[in-house]
Structure formats: structure tokens, C-alpha cells
Amino acid sequence: MSPAPQRYPAGFSLLARLLHWLMAAGILAMLFIGVGMVASVSERHQWLMQIHKPLGVALLALVCIRLATRLYKGTPALPSAMPAWQRQAAHASHVLLYALMFAMPLIGWAMVSAGGYPVVVGNWLLPPIAPADAALFAWLRGAHRYLAFLLFATVLLHLAAALFHGWIRRDGVLQSMTRGR
């Protein structure tokens, strides 16, 4: 008789870990670039925008791959000793992170489209995904800004929880993303 298939992998796959850390660096860069853009009216603003747009599109592509990998490969089981409220908080925070990782670039793209500006990635001109409309642009700009604050706060909580599991509980949760075990 063959053993029952394992529902949860022992750790995150190499691809999942690579996508996680690439996106972590990209998201942090985007948050700081965004702060630099709104704090500047000089030519530096244009330079930062030229980095921000294609990086946002790249992060959107990466989160699509990341979600597909997560659904296909699964995720490691949380420790059985973890309280139910922590399991629920972990699930809710991951749902929020994924929602924000999709929403931020899409809202940014729609905002730029509503402003009548092109989104150029390399030699490709991406199509607008919203009509050119000043009121819509203003609304999307506010949404993009406030969701960036929410994303930053969520990333900080995610980091705090990871360090709590790695340094205090030492239950393998952090190791599953750093070493795959």
C-alpha cells in the first residue's frame, strides 16, 4: 500500500523562495521610490518615475507567477502548536499581502492611464486600462497612496511575525522561507 500523498510540502520550493525575496526587494524599492517621487518636483521625479513604472509591471508579472506557484506547489503546514488566532492572522495577512501586490500595480497603471500618460516597459507601450479622466486620476492617486501605506504596514507586520517565529518561537516558520525546511 502506498503512503497517502503529503498535503503540505516540507518547505517552500526554491522558486517560491526566489520569488518571495525578489518581490520583497522590489516592493521595498517601490515604496521608497514612491516616497522619493512625491517628495520631489525636480527632474529627479521623472527619473524615479522611469524606474517606478516598469518595476511595477515587473512586480505584477512576478506576483502572477508567485500565486500560480503557491497554488500548484502548496505551502508548508503551520506548526501544530500555533494558536488558532495566529493561524487565522497568518492567513488573513497573506490574503491582504497578495491583494495589495495585485492592487498596487493595477491601480498605478490605471492611474497613469487616467492621467493620459503612457506606460512604457522597455520598447513596449502598454495599453491604457482606464479612460483619461482628471477626476478618476485624482481618486486613483489617493487610493494608490493610501494602499501604499497599508502595504508598508502589512510588510512590517509580516517581517515582525517572521522574526518572532524565527528568533523567539524557533518553530521553523522562518526557516521554511529562508532555507526551504
Side-chain angles (χ1 to χ4, degrees):
M1 182 175 230
S2 63
Q6 186 179 4
R7 181 173 170 193
Y8 299 104
F12 284 98
S13 68
L14 177 60
L15 178 59
R17 293 191 321 265
L18 179 64
L19 289 167
H20 175 275
W21 294 109
L22 272 173
M23 289 195 68
I27 288 168
L28 287 176
M30 287 294 278
L31 290 168
F32 287 106
I33 290 168
V35 168
M37 283 180 355
V38 299
S40 176
V41 292
S42 67
E43 64 274 352
R44 184 175 62 171
H45 178 272
Q46 263 319 92
W47 178 74
L48 291 171
M49 184 67 83
Q50 303 248 336
I51 298 169
H52 195 77
K53 286 182 197 179
L55 186 52
V57 172
L59 286 170
L60 179 59
L62 287 174
V63 75
C64 290
I65 297 167
R66 186 170 174 190
L67 182 60
T69 301
R70 183 181 183 99
L71 294 173
Y72 179 72
K73 296 270 189 180
T75 60
L78 294 172
S80 58
M82 183 184 282
W85 71 268
Q86 283 185 7
R87 290 172 180 278
Q88 292 168 346
H91 177 72
S93 71
H94 280 100
V95 168
L96 180 59
L97 277 169
Y98 273 88
L100 290 168
M101 287 187 293
F102 276 103
M104 288 299 292
L106 289 172
I107 290 172
W109 186 356
M111 176 185 67
V112 170
S113 297
Y117 304 107
V119 177
V120 180
V121 179
N123 292 330
W124 295 341
L125 176 65
L126 300 182
I129 61 170
D133 179 290
L136 180 59
F137 173 81
W139 187 87
L140 290 168
R141 185 172 184 198
H144 197 65
R145 178 181 184 182
Y146 290 114
L147 289 178
F149 289 132
L150 179 59
L151 178 59
F152 189 64
T154 307
V155 165
L156 288 178
L157 286 172
H158 183 73
L159 177 61
L163 294 177
F164 172 75
H165 283 281
W167 293 348
I168 296 171
R169 288 190 60 124
R170 297 178 186 195
D171 56 10
V173 171
L174 178 62
Q175 282 184 323
S176 71
M177 189 47 80
T178 58
R179 298 184 192 160
R181 295 183 213 132

mmCIF file with all atom_site columns, all heavy atoms in Angstrom, residues 55-75:
data_model
loop_
_atom_site.group_PDB
_atom_site.id
_atom_site.type_symbol
_atom_site.label_atom_id
_atom_site.label_alt_id
_atom_site.label_comp_id
_atom_site.label_asym_id
_atom_site.label_entity_id
_atom_site.label_seq_id
_atom_site.pdbx_PDB_ins_code
_atom_site.Cartn_x
_atom_site.Cartn_y
_atom_site.Cartn_z
_atom_site.occupancy
_atom_site.B_iso_or_equiv
_atom_site.pdbx_formal_charge
_atom_site.auth_seq_id
_atom_site.auth_comp_id
_atom_site.auth_asym_id
_atom_site.auth_atom_id
_atom_site.pdbx_PDB_model_num
ATOM 1   N N   . LEU A 1 55 ? 9.117  48.774 -13.004 1.00 0.00 ? 55 LEU A N   1
ATOM 2   C CA  . LEU A 1 55 ? 9.262  47.897 -11.838 1.00 0.00 ? 55 LEU A CA  1
ATOM 3   C C   . LEU A 1 55 ? 7.890  47.453 -11.353 1.00 0.00 ? 55 LEU A C   1
ATOM 4   O O   . LEU A 1 55 ? 7.706  46.295 -10.956 1.00 0.00 ? 55 LEU A O   1
ATOM 5   C CB  . LEU A 1 55 ? 10.044 48.604 -10.725 1.00 0.00 ? 55 LEU A CB  1
ATOM 6   C CG  . LEU A 1 55 ? 10.408 47.767 -9.501  1.00 0.00 ? 55 LEU A CG  1
ATOM 7   C CD1 . LEU A 1 55 ? 11.109 46.475 -9.865  1.00 0.00 ? 55 LEU A CD1 1
ATOM 8   C CD2 . LEU A 1 55 ? 11.265 48.593 -8.547  1.00 0.00 ? 55 LEU A CD2 1
ATOM 9   N N   . GLY A 1 56 ? 6.906  48.337 -11.404 1.00 0.00 ? 56 GLY A N   1
ATOM 10  C CA  . GLY A 1 56 ? 5.545  47.962 -11.034 1.00 0.00 ? 56 GLY A CA  1
ATOM 11  C C   . GLY A 1 56 ? 4.986  46.883 -11.943 1.00 0.00 ? 56 GLY A C   1
ATOM 12  O O   . GLY A 1 56 ? 4.357  45.926 -11.481 1.00 0.00 ? 56 GLY A O   1
ATOM 13  N N   . VAL A 1 57 ? 5.227  47.014 -13.244 1.00 0.00 ? 57 VAL A N   1
ATOM 14  C CA  . VAL A 1 57 ? 4.763  46.000 -14.202 1.00 0.00 ? 57 VAL A CA  1
ATOM 15  C C   . VAL A 1 57 ? 5.488  44.676 -13.946 1.00 0.00 ? 57 VAL A C   1
ATOM 16  O O   . VAL A 1 57 ? 4.872  43.599 -13.984 1.00 0.00 ? 57 VAL A O   1
ATOM 17  C CB  . VAL A 1 57 ? 4.966  46.487 -15.651 1.00 0.00 ? 57 VAL A CB  1
ATOM 18  C CG1 . VAL A 1 57 ? 4.673  45.380 -16.656 1.00 0.00 ? 57 VAL A CG1 1
ATOM 19  C CG2 . VAL A 1 57 ? 4.083  47.701 -15.930 1.00 0.00 ? 57 VAL A CG2 1
ATOM 20  N N   . ALA A 1 58 ? 6.776  44.735 -13.661 1.00 0.00 ? 58 ALA A N   1
ATOM 21  C CA  . ALA A 1 58 ? 7.541  43.522 -13.360 1.00 0.00 ? 58 ALA A CA  1
ATOM 22  C C   . ALA A 1 58 ? 7.001  42.848 -12.106 1.00 0.00 ? 58 ALA A C   1
ATOM 23  O O   . ALA A 1 58 ? 6.863  41.610 -12.065 1.00 0.00 ? 58 ALA A O   1
ATOM 24  C CB  . ALA A 1 58 ? 9.023  43.855 -13.192 1.00 0.00 ? 58 ALA A CB  1
ATOM 25  N N   . LEU A 1 59 ? 6.680  43.634 -11.078 1.00 0.00 ? 59 LEU A N   1
ATOM 26  C CA  . LEU A 1 59 ? 6.136  43.058 -9.849  1.00 0.00 ? 59 LEU A CA  1
ATOM 27  C C   . LEU A 1 59 ? 4.762  42.438 -10.092 1.00 0.00 ? 59 LEU A C   1
ATOM 28  O O   . LEU A 1 59 ? 4.427  41.405 -9.500  1.00 0.00 ? 59 LEU A O   1
ATOM 29  C CB  . LEU A 1 59 ? 6.069  44.112 -8.740  1.00 0.00 ? 59 LEU A CB  1
ATOM 30  C CG  . LEU A 1 59 ? 7.425  44.483 -8.137  1.00 0.00 ? 59 LEU A CG  1
ATOM 31  C CD1 . LEU A 1 59 ? 7.308  45.691 -7.227  1.00 0.00 ? 59 LEU A CD1 1
ATOM 32  C CD2 . LEU A 1 59 ? 8.032  43.299 -7.392  1.00 0.00 ? 59 LEU A CD2 1
ATOM 33  N N   . LEU A 1 60 ? 3.970  43.037 -10.966 1.00 0.00 ? 60 LEU A N   1
ATOM 34  C CA  . LEU A 1 60 ? 2.671  42.451 -11.308 1.00 0.00 ? 60 LEU A CA  1
ATOM 35  C C   . LEU A 1 60 ? 2.872  41.087 -11.979 1.00 0.00 ? 60 LEU A C   1
ATOM 36  O O   . LEU A 1 60 ? 2.186  40.110 -11.640 1.00 0.00 ? 60 LEU A O   1
ATOM 37  C CB  . LEU A 1 60 ? 1.877  43.395 -12.214 1.00 0.00 ? 60 LEU A CB  1
ATOM 38  C CG  . LEU A 1 60 ? 0.502  42.902 -12.660 1.00 0.00 ? 60 LEU A CG  1
ATOM 39  C CD1 . LEU A 1 60 ? -0.406 42.613 -11.480 1.00 0.00 ? 60 LEU A CD1 1
ATOM 40  C CD2 . LEU A 1 60 ? -0.136 43.930 -13.592 1.00 0.00 ? 60 LEU A CD2 1
ATOM 41  N N   . ALA A 1 61 ? 3.820  40.997 -12.896 1.00 0.00 ? 61 ALA A N   1
ATOM 42  C CA  . ALA A 1 61 ? 4.109  39.716 -13.545 1.00 0.00 ? 61 ALA A CA  1
ATOM 43  C C   . ALA A 1 61 ? 4.614  38.694 -12.523 1.00 0.00 ? 61 ALA A C   1
ATOM 44  O O   . ALA A 1 61 ? 4.190  37.530 -12.527 1.00 0.00 ? 61 ALA A O   1
ATOM 45  C CB  . ALA A 1 61 ? 5.136  39.909 -14.656 1.00 0.00 ? 61 ALA A CB  1
ATOM 46  N N   . LEU A 1 62 ? 5.493  39.131 -11.628 1.00 0.00 ? 62 LEU A N   1
ATOM 47  C CA  . LEU A 1 62 ? 6.046  38.218 -10.621 1.00 0.00 ? 62 LEU A CA  1
ATOM 48  C C   . LEU A 1 62 ? 4.973  37.716 -9.658  1.00 0.00 ? 62 LEU A C   1
ATOM 49  O O   . LEU A 1 62 ? 4.993  36.552 -9.263  1.00 0.00 ? 62 LEU A O   1
ATOM 50  C CB  . LEU A 1 62 ? 7.175  38.892 -9.842  1.00 0.00 ? 62 LEU A CB  1
ATOM 51  C CG  . LEU A 1 62 ? 8.483  39.079 -10.600 1.00 0.00 ? 62 LEU A CG  1
ATOM 52  C CD1 . LEU A 1 62 ? 9.478  39.883 -9.759  1.00 0.00 ? 62 LEU A CD1 1
ATOM 53  C CD2 . LEU A 1 62 ? 9.086  37.736 -10.994 1.00 0.00 ? 62 LEU A CD2 1
ATOM 54  N N   . VAL A 1 63 ? 4.032  38.578 -9.263  1.00 0.00 ? 63 VAL A N   1
ATOM 55  C CA  . VAL A 1 63 ? 3.004  38.118 -8.331  1.00 0.00 ? 63 VAL A CA  1
ATOM 56  C C   . VAL A 1 63 ? 2.071  37.122 -9.008  1.00 0.00 ? 63 VAL A C   1
ATOM 57  O O   . VAL A 1 63 ? 1.566  36.198 -8.363  1.00 0.00 ? 63 VAL A O   1
ATOM 58  C CB  . VAL A 1 63 ? 2.236  39.279 -7.655  1.00 0.00 ? 63 VAL A CB  1
ATOM 59  C CG1 . VAL A 1 63 ? 1.241  39.938 -8.598  1.00 0.00 ? 63 VAL A CG1 1
ATOM 60  C CG2 . VAL A 1 63 ? 1.516  38.780 -6.401  1.00 0.00 ? 63 VAL A CG2 1
ATOM 61  N N   . CYS A 1 64 ? 1.867  37.250 -10.314 1.00 0.00 ? 64 CYS A N   1
ATOM 62  C CA  . CYS A 1 64 ? 1.076  36.253 -11.045 1.00 0.00 ? 64 CYS A CA  1
ATOM 63  C C   . CYS A 1 64 ? 1.781  34.895 -11.006 1.00 0.00 ? 64 CYS A C   1
ATOM 64  O O   . CYS A 1 64 ? 1.159  33.864 -10.713 1.00 0.00 ? 64 CYS A O   1
ATOM 65  C CB  . CYS A 1 64 ? 0.847  36.695 -12.486 1.00 0.00 ? 64 CYS A CB  1
ATOM 66  S SG  . CYS A 1 64 ? -0.267 38.101 -12.657 1.00 0.00 ? 64 CYS A SG  1
ATOM 67  N N   . ILE A 1 65 ? 3.078  34.901 -11.277 1.00 0.00 ? 65 ILE A N   1
ATOM 68  C CA  . ILE A 1 65 ? 3.868  33.661 -11.227 1.00 0.00 ? 65 ILE A CA  1
ATOM 69  C C   . ILE A 1 65 ? 3.886  33.121 -9.802  1.00 0.00 ? 65 ILE A C   1
ATOM 70  O O   . ILE A 1 65 ? 3.751  31.913 -9.573  1.00 0.00 ? 65 ILE A O   1
ATOM 71  C CB  . ILE A 1 65 ? 5.297  33.902 -11.751 1.00 0.00 ? 65 ILE A CB  1
ATOM 72  C CG1 . ILE A 1 65 ? 5.259  34.315 -13.216 1.00 0.00 ? 65 ILE A CG1 1
ATOM 73  C CG2 . ILE A 1 65 ? 6.176  32.671 -11.552 1.00 0.00 ? 65 ILE A CG2 1
ATOM 74  C CD1 . ILE A 1 65 ? 6.580  34.877 -13.731 1.00 0.00 ? 65 ILE A CD1 1
ATOM 75  N N   . ARG A 1 66 ? 4.023  34.022 -8.841  1.00 0.00 ? 66 ARG A N   1
ATOM 76  C CA  . ARG A 1 66 ? 4.103  33.604 -7.440  1.00 0.00 ? 66 ARG A CA  1
ATOM 77  C C   . ARG A 1 66 ? 2.808  32.953 -6.977  1.00 0.00 ? 66 ARG A C   1
ATOM 78  O O   . ARG A 1 66 ? 2.835  31.914 -6.309  1.00 0.00 ? 66 ARG A O   1
ATOM 79  C CB  . ARG A 1 66 ? 4.425  34.829 -6.583  1.00 0.00 ? 66 ARG A CB  1
ATOM 80  C CG  . ARG A 1 66 ? 4.665  34.489 -5.153  1.00 0.00 ? 66 ARG A CG  1
ATOM 81  C CD  . ARG A 1 66 ? 5.211  35.655 -4.408  1.00 0.00 ? 66 ARG A CD  1
ATOM 82  N NE  . ARG A 1 66 ? 5.284  35.314 -2.998  1.00 0.00 ? 66 ARG A NE  1
ATOM 83  C CZ  . ARG A 1 66 ? 5.534  36.161 -2.049  1.00 0.00 ? 66 ARG A CZ  1
ATOM 84  N NH1 . ARG A 1 66 ? 5.779  37.430 -2.347  1.00 0.00 ? 66 ARG A NH1 1
ATOM 85  N NH2 . ARG A 1 66 ? 5.571  35.783 -0.801  1.00 0.00 ? 66 ARG A NH2 1
ATOM 86  N N   . LEU A 1 67 ? 1.675  33.534 -7.336  1.00 0.00 ? 67 LEU A N   1
ATOM 87  C CA  . LEU A 1 67 ? 0.396  32.947 -6.934  1.00 0.00 ? 67 LEU A CA  1
ATOM 88  C C   . LEU A 1 67 ? 0.204  31.588 -7.610  1.00 0.00 ? 67 LEU A C   1
ATOM 89  O O   . LEU A 1 67 ? -0.244 30.631 -6.964  1.00 0.00 ? 67 LEU A O   1
ATOM 90  C CB  . LEU A 1 67 ? -0.757 33.889 -7.259  1.00 0.00 ? 67 LEU A CB  1
ATOM 91  C CG  . LEU A 1 67 ? -2.134 33.386 -6.830  1.00 0.00 ? 67 LEU A CG  1
ATOM 92  C CD1 . LEU A 1 67 ? -2.199 33.146 -5.317  1.00 0.00 ? 67 LEU A CD1 1
ATOM 93  C CD2 . LEU A 1 67 ? -3.214 34.371 -7.247  1.00 0.00 ? 67 LEU A CD2 1
ATOM 94  N N   . ALA A 1 68 ? 0.551  31.482 -8.880  1.00 0.00 ? 68 ALA A N   1
ATOM 95  C CA  . ALA A 1 68 ? 0.434  30.200 -9.580  1.00 0.00 ? 68 ALA A CA  1
ATOM 96  C C   . ALA A 1 68 ? 1.318  29.145 -8.913  1.00 0.00 ? 68 ALA A C   1
ATOM 97  O O   . ALA A 1 68 ? 0.892  27.999 -8.715  1.00 0.00 ? 68 ALA A O   1
ATOM 98  C CB  . ALA A 1 68 ? 0.804  30.364 -11.048 1.00 0.00 ? 68 ALA A CB  1
ATOM 99  N N   . THR A 1 69 ? 2.529  29.521 -8.543  1.00 0.00 ? 69 THR A N   1
ATOM 100 C CA  . THR A 1 69 ? 3.442  28.606 -7.862  1.00 0.00 ? 69 THR A CA  1
ATOM 101 C C   . THR A 1 69 ? 2.874  28.174 -6.518  1.00 0.00 ? 69 THR A C   1
ATOM 102 O O   . THR A 1 69 ? 2.914  26.992 -6.161  1.00 0.00 ? 69 THR A O   1
ATOM 103 C CB  . THR A 1 69 ? 4.821  29.275 -7.652  1.00 0.00 ? 69 THR A CB  1
ATOM 104 O OG1 . THR A 1 69 ? 5.342  29.644 -8.928  1.00 0.00 ? 69 THR A OG1 1
ATOM 105 C CG2 . THR A 1 69 ? 5.792  28.361 -6.939  1.00 0.00 ? 69 THR A CG2 1
ATOM 106 N N   . ARG A 1 70 ? 2.315  29.119 -5.793  1.00 0.00 ? 70 ARG A N   1
ATOM 107 C CA  . ARG A 1 70 ? 1.728  28.825 -4.478  1.00 0.00 ? 70 ARG A CA  1
ATOM 108 C C   . ARG A 1 70 ? 0.561  27.860 -4.613  1.00 0.00 ? 70 ARG A C   1
ATOM 109 O O   . ARG A 1 70 ? 0.429  26.918 -3.830  1.00 0.00 ? 70 ARG A O   1
ATOM 110 C CB  . ARG A 1 70 ? 1.299  30.128 -3.814  1.00 0.00 ? 70 ARG A CB  1
ATOM 111 C CG  . ARG A 1 70 ? 0.754  29.967 -2.416  1.00 0.00 ? 70 ARG A CG  1
ATOM 112 C CD  . ARG A 1 70 ? 0.322  31.328 -1.860  1.00 0.00 ? 70 ARG A CD  1
ATOM 113 N NE  . ARG A 1 70 ? -0.137 31.218 -0.509  1.00 0.00 ? 70 ARG A NE  1
ATOM 114 C CZ  . ARG A 1 70 ? 0.581  31.494 0.566   1.00 0.00 ? 70 ARG A CZ  1
ATOM 115 N NH1 . ARG A 1 70 ? 1.822  31.916 0.435   1.00 0.00 ? 70 ARG A NH1 1
ATOM 116 N NH2 . ARG A 1 70 ? 0.084  31.359 1.778   1.00 0.00 ? 70 ARG A NH2 1
ATOM 117 N N   . LEU A 1 71 ? -0.289 28.083 -5.614  1.00 0.00 ? 71 LEU A N   1
ATOM 118 C CA  . LEU A 1 71 ? -1.450 27.210 -5.805  1.00 0.00 ? 71 LEU A CA  1
ATOM 119 C C   . LEU A 1 71 ? -1.027 25.821 -6.282  1.00 0.00 ? 71 LEU A C   1
ATOM 120 O O   . LEU A 1 71 ? -1.619 24.815 -5.878  1.00 0.00 ? 71 LEU A O   1
ATOM 121 C CB  . LEU A 1 71 ? -2.432 27.846 -6.788  1.00 0.00 ? 71 LEU A CB  1
ATOM 122 C CG  . LEU A 1 71 ? -3.112 29.130 -6.310  1.00 0.00 ? 71 LEU A CG  1
ATOM 123 C CD1 . LEU A 1 71 ? -3.934 29.747 -7.436  1.00 0.00 ? 71 LEU A CD1 1
ATOM 124 C CD2 . LEU A 1 71 ? -3.962 28.879 -5.077  1.00 0.00 ? 71 LEU A CD2 1
ATOM 125 N N   . TYR A 1 72 ? -0.004 25.765 -7.130  1.00 0.00 ? 72 TYR A N   1
ATOM 126 C CA  . TYR A 1 72 ? 0.452  24.485 -7.683  1.00 0.00 ? 72 TYR A CA  1
ATOM 127 C C   . TYR A 1 72 ? 1.280  23.684 -6.677  1.00 0.00 ? 72 TYR A C   1
ATOM 128 O O   . TYR A 1 72 ? 1.066  22.487 -6.506  1.00 0.00 ? 72 TYR A O   1
ATOM 129 C CB  . TYR A 1 72 ? 1.257  24.727 -8.957  1.00 0.00 ? 72 TYR A CB  1
ATOM 130 C CG  . TYR A 1 72 ? 1.777  23.461 -9.586  1.00 0.00 ? 72 TYR A CG  1
ATOM 131 C CD1 . TYR A 1 72 ? 0.914  22.581 -10.233 1.00 0.00 ? 72 TYR A CD1 1
ATOM 132 C CD2 . TYR A 1 72 ? 3.131  23.146 -9.523  1.00 0.00 ? 72 TYR A CD2 1
ATOM 133 C CE1 . TYR A 1 72 ? 1.396  21.406 -10.803 1.00 0.00 ? 72 TYR A CE1 1
ATOM 134 C CE2 . TYR A 1 72 ? 3.611  21.979 -10.091 1.00 0.00 ? 72 TYR A CE2 1
ATOM 135 C CZ  . TYR A 1 72 ? 2.737  21.120 -10.725 1.00 0.00 ? 72 TYR A CZ  1
ATOM 136 O OH  . TYR A 1 72 ? 3.224  19.955 -11.281 1.00 0.00 ? 72 TYR A OH  1
ATOM 137 N N   . LYS A 1 73 ? 2.235  24.339 -6.037  1.00 0.00 ? 73 LYS A N   1
ATOM 138 C CA  . LYS A 1 73 ? 3.165  23.639 -5.141  1.00 0.00 ? 73 LYS A CA  1
ATOM 139 C C   . LYS A 1 73 ? 2.652  23.529 -3.707  1.00 0.00 ? 73 LYS A C   1
ATOM 140 O O   . LYS A 1 73 ? 3.120  22.686 -2.953  1.00 0.00 ? 73 LYS A O   1
ATOM 141 C CB  . LYS A 1 73 ? 4.517  24.368 -5.111  1.00 0.00 ? 73 LYS A CB  1
ATOM 142 C CG  . LYS A 1 73 ? 5.255  24.398 -6.421  1.00 0.00 ? 73 LYS A CG  1
ATOM 143 C CD  . LYS A 1 73 ? 6.135  23.221 -6.548  1.00 0.00 ? 73 LYS A CD  1
ATOM 144 C CE  . LYS A 1 73 ? 7.039  23.367 -7.760  1.00 0.00 ? 73 LYS A CE  1
ATOM 145 N NZ  . LYS A 1 73 ? 7.902  22.228 -7.909  1.00 0.00 ? 73 LYS A NZ  1
ATOM 146 N N   . GLY A 1 74 ? 1.751  24.423 -3.314  1.00 0.00 ? 74 GLY A N   1
ATOM 147 C CA  . GLY A 1 74 ? 1.278  24.432 -1.935  1.00 0.00 ? 74 GLY A CA  1
ATOM 148 C C   . GLY A 1 74 ? 2.222  25.196 -1.030  1.00 0.00 ? 74 GLY A C   1
ATOM 149 O O   . GLY A 1 74 ? 3.233  25.738 -1.462  1.00 0.00 ? 74 GLY A O   1
ATOM 150 N N   . THR A 1 75 ? 1.869  25.220 0.233   1.00 0.00 ? 75 THR A N   1
ATOM 151 C CA  . THR A 1 75 ? 2.686  25.895 1.239   1.00 0.00 ? 75 THR A CA  1
ATOM 152 C C   . THR A 1 75 ? 2.911  24.944 2.407   1.00 0.00 ? 75 THR A C   1
ATOM 153 O O   . THR A 1 75 ? 2.097  24.045 2.651   1.00 0.00 ? 75 THR A O   1
ATOM 154 C CB  . THR A 1 75 ? 1.994  27.170 1.761   1.00 0.00 ? 75 THR A CB  1
ATOM 155 O OG1 . THR A 1 75 ? 0.738  26.814 2.346   1.00 0.00 ? 75 THR A OG1 1
ATOM 156 C CG2 . THR A 1 75 ? 1.765  28.177 0.649   1.00 0.00 ? 75 THR A CG2 1
#
